Amino acid sequence: MKADINKLCRELGYSFADPQLIEQALTHRSAGGKNNERLEYLGDAILGFVIADELFKHFPKASEGQLSRLRSSLVKRDTLAEVAREFNVGDYLRLGQGELRSGGQSRDSILADGIEAIFASIYLDGGYGVCRDVIQAIFLPRLTTMSLDRHRKDPKTELQEHLQANKIDLPGYEIVSINGDPHNQLFTVTCIVSALDKSTTGQGASRRKAEQDAASRMLALLNNERQ
């Protein structure tokens, strides 16, 4: 195992009996050969269960919907990319030349997949208990700061529920433009509520973020009209 990956393992708090597993977890499909796609699939499932179990124990009075929203906030791409950056996972990834040139080592989707693949590699190497302990150590600081009172639904969900409650057709989202380099893009999206003949525009570093921004602006517009 290379020295730099040894450093990553020390920071994760786990030493591999089979170093090839962590090597595979850090290999993107663009690099060819054995890559981390299957590991990412497995890691996603393991992470989801561990987080669900922790939330179930930590919030005994939470409803199913509240638990689902809390879990989603912890396992979403943005959060996983943040975790990956905390361990500098991008520095260890093996990418093809095209991905390297386009800044793939900094892309949220690649970083998120990488950290999930790492969790799977730990599970395959050391078993569920060890993998759970690593995930708990990483996510506990985030989990303990969560609050049912503070944790709101995301704007798209709020807008959808608001429209459904008023028996109005659900909104549509359309991409207006995508600007910037592949690794530093700015998406512009419109949120359209045809039944009300209203639209708002949002921006963000991903399509999802731009849609959330547009939905938030639509909610503000509808709330202002009610006042």
Side-chain angles (χ1 to χ4, degrees):
M1 191 184 293
K2 294 182 179 179
D4 58 349
I5 299 182
N6 274 324
K7 181 185 177 194
L8 173 62
C9 293
R10 286 194 299 271
E11 292 175 346
L12 289 166
Y14 183 74
S15 178
F16 281 83
D18 181 1
Q20 290 185 353
L21 285 168
I22 184 65
E23 297 271 358
Q24 182 181 348
L26 294 167
T27 302
H28 187 256
R29 66 178 181 272
S30 63
K34 226 172 174 182
N35 61 64
N36 64 10
E37 282 191 311
R38 281 171 54 84
L39 291 176
E40 180 269 326
Y41 160 79
L42 181 59
D44 174 68
I46 295 167
L47 174 64
F49 176 76
V50 173
I51 295 299
D53 187 37
E54 288 301 308
L55 289 170
F56 187 83
K57 291 182 288 191
H58 195 77
F59 295 100
K61 296 182 179 180
S63 68
E64 181 272 340
Q66 289 172 317
L67 290 172
S68 293
R69 287 192 290 275
L70 290 169
R71 181 183 60 185
S72 294
S73 73
L74 287 173
V75 302
K76 66 183 180 181
R77 177 183 294 178
D78 293 359
T79 303
L80 295 181
E82 285 177 9
V83 171
R85 289 189 177 95
E86 289 170 6
F87 289 96
N88 298 310
V89 168
D91 294 343
Y92 305 97
L93 289 172
R94 293 190 176 132
L95 305 171
Q97 287 303 310
E99 285 291 353
L100 282 172
R101 284 194 295 270
S102 65
Q105 68 274 17
S106 301
R107 192 171 300 132
D108 281 3
S109 58
I110 291 179
L111 289 172
D113 289 350
I115 197 70
E116 287 180 330
I118 288 171
F119 293 148
S121 70
I122 294 172
Y123 163 75
L124 292 173
D125 192 74
Y128 173 74
V130 172
C131 182
R132 179 198 60 215
D133 292 346
V134 171
I135 292 173
Q136 286 175 336
I138 292 172
F139 284 88
L140 188 60
R142 287 175 167 83
L143 192 149
T144 54
T145 61
M146 301 183 93
S147 165
L148 293 177
D149 294 330
R150 291 202 318 265
H151 196 79
R152 298 180 56 205
K153 300 172 187 175
D154 65 85
K156 285 184 69 175
T157 301
E158 283 194 56
L159 177 60
Q160 178 176 316
E161 292 183 354
H162 170 79
L163 295 175
Q164 286 176 327
N166 289 278
K167 298 183 178 175
I168 299 171
D169 290 341
L170 296 182
Y173 297 89
E174 295 180 2
I175 295 179
V176 176
S177 64
I178 305 174
N179 298 309
D181 298 327
H183 63 284
N184 186 29
Q185 293 181 324
L186 179 66
F187 289 74
T188 301
V189 169
T190 57
C191 172
I192 304 166
V193 181
S194 299
L196 300 178
D197 194 26
K198 296 185 184 301
S199 67
T200 53
T201 301
Q203 292 185 318
S206 67
R207 176 174 180 169
R208 190 186 69 81
K209 288 181 178 179
E211 288 178 350
Q212 296 288 11
D213 185 37
S216 179
R217 293 173 186 274
M218 179 62 73
L219 277 168
L221 178 63
L222 297 179
N223 287 333
N224 285 337
E225 290 185 347
R226 287 208 313 260
Q227 293 174 0

